[in-house]
Amino acid sequence: YLFSCGLRAVDVSVFLYLRCCESQAKGTGKPTVEMITQATKKNERVVKESLQQLKEKNLLRNEHTICFEMERDSLRDRYFFLPRQLFSLDLESTEIAIYAYLMYRENRYTYQCWPSYNKIGKELSIKSTNTVRKYVYRLVEKGLIDIEHTIIRRRDGTCRNGNLMYTLLPIENAVDCYQRRQLEELSLA
């Protein structure tokens, strides 16, 4: 439901951050707008707009509480866990949203999926395929995913490029990559 209700990438990343906070912090208080701003790398106005959008779509109650009005059985096949470390890797909201979409689409045994740039853009309300491409390559650079070009053989025997095959890598790879980058920056300073 989250990827089919016309939310922008920033709205998806705000929702996912709130969901991670809710699952981690039983009774320890709700995240503030400032905390959401830091996690999603968006300014306060954009975060407040996203919170309002989530309320209008009935995904959020007051005080930043997630609404799940669907029955558990209908969620079981579409539910996936988003690693909390994702929000500590200094990712932009669009990177978080694309990563979450790929996790949603992945095969749970092979960790692979094949959505096109157009499909990702459509589901996350990103107008330009070049923007999707830019953020996909950033996810590759940050060690979250690996991509492989595919070839499709048509019935007439001709070959053409297919969609990219995305492989989601263990989050520990991305954490290690992030920590190495941080150490390099410190050693250069």
Side-chain angles (χ1 to χ4, degrees), residues 20-48:
C20 280
C21 289
E22 189 174 86
S23 67
Q24 293 284 320
K26 301 291 183 196
T28 60
K30 304 293 180 209
T32 63
V33 171
E34 184 179 316
M35 292 166 66
I36 299 167
T37 300
Q38 288 176 342
T40 60
K41 307 293 181 260
K42 292 295 180 184
N43 65 40
E44 187 175 323
R45 180 187 57 80
V46 171
V47 168
K48 286 181 177 179

Side-chain angles (χ1 to χ4, degrees), residues 100-145:
Y101 179 73
L102 294 174
M103 279 194 80
Y104 171 72
R105 295 292 306 264
E106 79 174 339
N107 177 311
R108 300 295 188 260
Y109 300 104
T110 65
Y111 307 106
Q112 296 176 331
C113 59
W114 297 267
S116 67
Y117 289 143
N118 287 333
K119 179 71 172 171
I120 295 169
K122 180 181 174 192
E123 295 290 342
L124 296 173
S125 300
I126 302 171
K127 292 179 175 63
S128 168
T129 56
N130 286 335
T131 302
V132 173
R133 181 181 301 114
K134 173 179 78 172
Y135 286 111
V136 164
Y137 279 97
R138 284 187 184 176
L139 292 172
V140 171
E141 289 171 8
K142 293 178 180 182
L144 287 161
I145 63 172

Side-chain angles (χ1 to χ4, degrees), residues 2-189:
L2 182 63
F3 296 108
S4 62
C5 61
L7 294 174
R8 300 171 303 163
V10 66
D11 303 331
V12 171
S13 64
V14 167
F15 178 85
L16 294 170
Y17 177 72
L18 292 172
R19 180 68 188 108
C20 280
C21 289
E22 189 174 86
S23 67
Q24 293 284 320
K26 301 291 183 196
T28 60
K30 304 293 180 209
T32 63
V33 171
E34 184 179 316
M35 292 166 66
I36 299 167
T37 300
Q38 288 176 342
T40 60
K41 307 293 181 260
K42 292 295 180 184
N43 65 40
E44 187 175 323
R45 180 187 57 80
V46 171
V47 168
K48 286 181 177 179
E49 287 174 2
S50 290
L51 292 170
Q52 184 59 40
Q53 181 71 4
L54 293 170
K55 287 177 187 174
E56 290 173 9
K57 298 282 185 178
N58 294 321
L59 292 169
L60 194 64
R61 295 187 193 112
N62 291 335
E63 301 300 317
H64 312 192
T65 306
I66 303 293
C67 295
F68 279 120
E69 302 300 332
M70 297 179 244
E71 293 181 25
R72 251 185 217 277
D73 290 340
S74 68
L75 285 173
R76 188 176 328 145
D77 293 338
R78 294 176 281 176
Y79 191 76
F80 62 96
F81 292 102
L82 192 66
R84 184 165 176 81
Q85 298 98 317
L86 194 64
F87 295 100
S88 64
L89 297 176
D90 203 27
L91 299 175
E92 291 185 29
S93 60
T94 306
E95 292 170 319
I96 294 168
I98 290 173
Y99 182 79
Y101 179 73
L102 294 174
M103 279 194 80
Y104 171 72
R105 295 292 306 264
E106 79 174 339
N107 177 311
R108 300 295 188 260
Y109 300 104
T110 65
Y111 307 106
Q112 296 176 331
C113 59
W114 297 267
S116 67
Y117 289 143
N118 287 333
K119 179 71 172 171
I120 295 169
K122 180 181 174 192
E123 295 290 342
L124 296 173
S125 300
I126 302 171
K127 292 179 175 63
S128 168
T129 56
N130 286 335
T131 302
V132 173
R133 181 181 301 114
K134 173 179 78 172
Y135 286 111
V136 164
Y137 279 97
R138 284 187 184 176
L139 292 172
V140 171
E141 289 171 8
K142 293 178 180 182
L144 287 161
I145 63 172
D146 192 26
I147 57 174
E148 186 178 322
H149 295 276
T150 61
I151 296 175
I152 297 173
R153 185 175 302 273
R154 294 183 173 175
R155 288 186 180 155
D156 64 3
T158 60
C159 294
R160 69 180 206 97
N161 290 333
N163 293 341
L164 291 176
M165 179 175 64
Y166 304 92
T167 304
L168 279 77
L169 303 173
I171 192 71
E172 293 79 14
N173 290 356
V175 171
D176 290 344
C177 186
Y178 177 73
Q179 290 172 345
R180 274 194 305 274
R181 277 196 319 268
Q182 296 291 81
L183 287 172
E184 288 173 7
E185 288 177 15
L186 285 174
S187 66
L188 293 175

